[in-house]
Amino acid sequence: MENSSFSLQGRRILLVISGGIAAYKSLDLIRRLKERGATVRCILTKGGAEFVTPLSVSSLSGEKVYDDLFSLTDEHEMGHIRLTRTADLAVVAPASANLIARLAQGRADDLASTTLLASDKPILVVPAMNAKMWQSEAVQANIAVLAARGTMLVRPGTGEMACGEVGEGRMAEVAEIVADIEKYFAQPGPLSGRRALVTSGPTHEPLDPVRFIGNRSSGKQGHAIAAALAREGAAVTLVTGPVALPDPAGIRTIHVQTAREMLEACEAALPADIAVCAAAVADWRPAEESAQKLKKGAAEPALRLVENPDILAMIAREGNIRPRLVVGFAAETEKADENARRKLAGKNCDWIVVNDVSGGAVFDADENKVTLLARDSAGKVVTESWDAMPKDDVARLLAARVSDHFKAA
């Protein structure tokens, strides 16, 4: 591997490949972005598909390729709105004169133009066309319109083109495109200067040296939230119970076993600006831990339980070190909204993320379906329900809401 750095670790890039011989460079671009740790989802236009195949794009990206606006299956799995909402940056490479014109005009007549028009994320355009086309008044006027709207540009290079002419218009080299993308992400994020505390995973409350009381939490959602907040610029401390997950890159991670250990680690991590308590902390622990393994055949053990500390309530209590935003999680098997509202009030937190775990379908799964309950400035509870989506996408949406909260404040 030529470049083993992970400068784009965890970043999600939406790559739009339009028509033109330069589309072959997009394959190398995908490879370079993946090398640096990025996830790349691709939209292939009808023109782009004349130069590179969906199979080649999918093989390199490791993701499904999207090309049809009116595919009901795609709209259910990953609609054009979510394609951009779950990305950190949209890159159009190559950007043909035709697609640039449609973007400038605000047209939405295929998946690429519709998705980019609906985008709430920055867009980086990498033009590629004949030199005369690039120099034309029409194209330059369209580029000026896009620039005025905040669209970023990687200027085309100068040299011999596939048509045999020489001049400015050939698609920039892949290394230059990657450098511009890395430069964009090197900028301070909206949560730069903020400290965040995230809890994740289960706790294990020992009964004897080999047995414990625990739950089925995998930690996938909590770890994804920690990574998403870090991508927004926050300095994150992750306190995690026992999980089979790698530590998120660039995040201070503290490993604990029990609820009491988690409480101690959280207290040590305060003060913080943000606390997201996604861990599934055991509510009870055995009153006594046997020094030896309990044996079958002996007298039936009397199991007495005592209540564990309430970590969320401790973090959310009023005081000098209470984070400005405290987010709790509620995994419910019945009356999810009612129980979440009760928890929101009883724990004194600002937001609650609630999901229905009846049947255990959420535990260790890669998807989640949640509702966010938040108290507004007047104390009214506002709810926002999200469709089922990958846990990484839930984390990104939650991190975006956190960023919006601090921008408004």
Side-chain angles (χ1 to χ4, degrees):
M1 185 179 293
E2 184 179 311
N3 190 323
S4 60
S5 70
F6 288 88
S7 56
L8 299 177
Q9 182 68 42
R11 300 296 183 182
R12 288 198 170 186
I13 295 172
L14 177 64
L15 176 61
V16 178
I17 305 171
S18 68
I21 189 63
Y24 79 91
K25 288 186 178 180
S26 65
L27 301 179
D28 189 34
L29 177 59
I30 295 169
R31 185 169 69 89
R32 301 297 180 182
L33 294 173
K34 294 279 289 181
E35 283 178 357
R36 288 159 173 78
T39 297
V40 185
R41 284 181 177 144
C42 298
I43 295 177
L44 185 60
T45 69
K46 186 176 179 180
E50 296 293 329
F51 297 91
V52 295
T53 67
L55 179 60
S56 61
V57 174
S58 178
S59 297
L60 286 168
S61 68
E63 300 276 346
K64 180 175 179 178
V65 175
Y66 299 90
D67 56 9
D68 187 357
L69 177 61
F70 299 104
S71 167
L72 293 179
T73 300
D74 286 359
E75 282 298 292
H76 172 71
E77 294 175 352
M78 177 60 68
H80 66 278
I81 300 296
R82 279 191 53 212
L83 272 171
T84 177
R85 295 294 191 270
T86 56
D88 299 310
L89 175 69
V91 178
V92 188
S96 65
N98 181 46
L99 183 53
I100 289 171
R102 285 153 57 211
L103 293 179
Q105 296 164 13
R107 292 174 61 183
D109 49 10
D110 68 353
L111 180 59
S113 58
T114 301
T115 301
L116 293 169
L117 186 62
S119 176
D120 63 347
K121 299 301 193 306
I123 299 173
L124 177 67
V125 170
V126 187
M129 64 195 72
N130 172 271
K132 295 296 185 185
M133 293 173 67
W134 172 249
Q135 293 166 1
S136 70
E137 291 184 10
V139 169
Q140 290 304 310
N142 289 332
I143 289 293
V145 168
L146 295 180
R149 295 174 186 161
T151 302
M152 297 177 288
L153 174 73
V154 181
R155 288 192 66 87
T158 300
E160 186 176 355
M161 302 182 189
C163 61
E165 295 187 8
V166 177
E168 186 181 17
R170 61 183 293 168
M171 181 171 159
E173 295 303 320
V174 169
E176 183 182 351
I177 301 168
V178 171
D180 276 19
I181 293 172
E182 288 177 320
K183 183 178 179 181
Y184 166 75
F185 283 116
Q187 299 174 17
L191 293 179
S192 292
R194 305 284 184 187
R195 295 179 60 186
L197 167 65
V198 179
T199 66
S200 181
T203 62
H204 288 178
E205 312 299 330
L207 180 60
D208 63 23
V210 297
R211 301 183 182 94
F212 59 84
I213 294 175
N215 56 63
R216 297 184 179 90
S217 173
S218 66
K220 289 180 180 179
Q221 189 64 84
H223 277 55
I225 291 168
L229 290 173
R231 284 192 295 271
E232 293 287 296
V236 180
T237 297
L238 173 63
V239 180
T240 176
V243 296
L245 298 172
D247 294 348
I251 290 175
R252 177 175 178 244
T253 303
I254 301 170
H255 295 270
V256 299
Q257 291 286 325
T258 69
R260 286 174 291 178
E261 291 172 351
M262 184 170 283
L263 173 62
E264 183 179 349
C266 288
E267 288 177 327
L270 294 175
D273 301 287
I274 305 149
V276 181
C277 296
V281 181
D283 292 321
W284 301 278
R285 67 180 186 274
E288 297 179 358
E289 178 185 350
S290 173
Q292 304 297 329
K293 178 183 175 183
L294 298 173
K295 299 288 189 180
K296 263 204 276 188
E300 183 175 329
L303 182 58
R304 187 170 67 88
L305 301 177
V306 295
E307 197 169 276
N308 264 328
D310 192 326
I311 297 174
L312 174 60
M314 183 281 297
I315 292 174
R317 69 188 177 195
E318 295 297 337
N320 293 334
I321 62 172
R322 185 193 191 276
R324 291 176 58 187
L325 180 65
V326 179
V327 184
F329 269 66
E332 302 292 344
T333 59
E334 61 176 352
K335 301 179 181 177
D337 183 79
E338 178 183 329
N339 288 329
R341 288 173 181 270
R342 186 179 298 113
K343 188 171 185 177
L344 182 67
K347 308 282 188 177
N348 192 41
C349 42
D350 304 297
W351 299 354
I352 285 285
V353 180
V354 60
N355 56 1
D356 186 342
V357 297
S358 56
V362 173
F363 292 114
D364 206 31
D366 292 324
E367 285 202 343
N368 206 352
K369 185 177 187 300
V370 306
T371 298
L372 175 65
L373 285 74
R375 288 189 295 194
D376 63 16
S377 56
K380 180 183 177 183
V381 177
V382 180
T383 64
E384 182 179 347
S385 295
W386 300 341
D387 293 334
M389 65 182 77
K391 287 180 177 177
D392 283 349
D393 293 345
V394 173
R396 288 171 181 275
L397 281 176
L398 182 62
R401 296 296 183 272
V402 172
S403 293
D404 291 343
H405 172 82
F406 280 94
K407 286 177 188 174

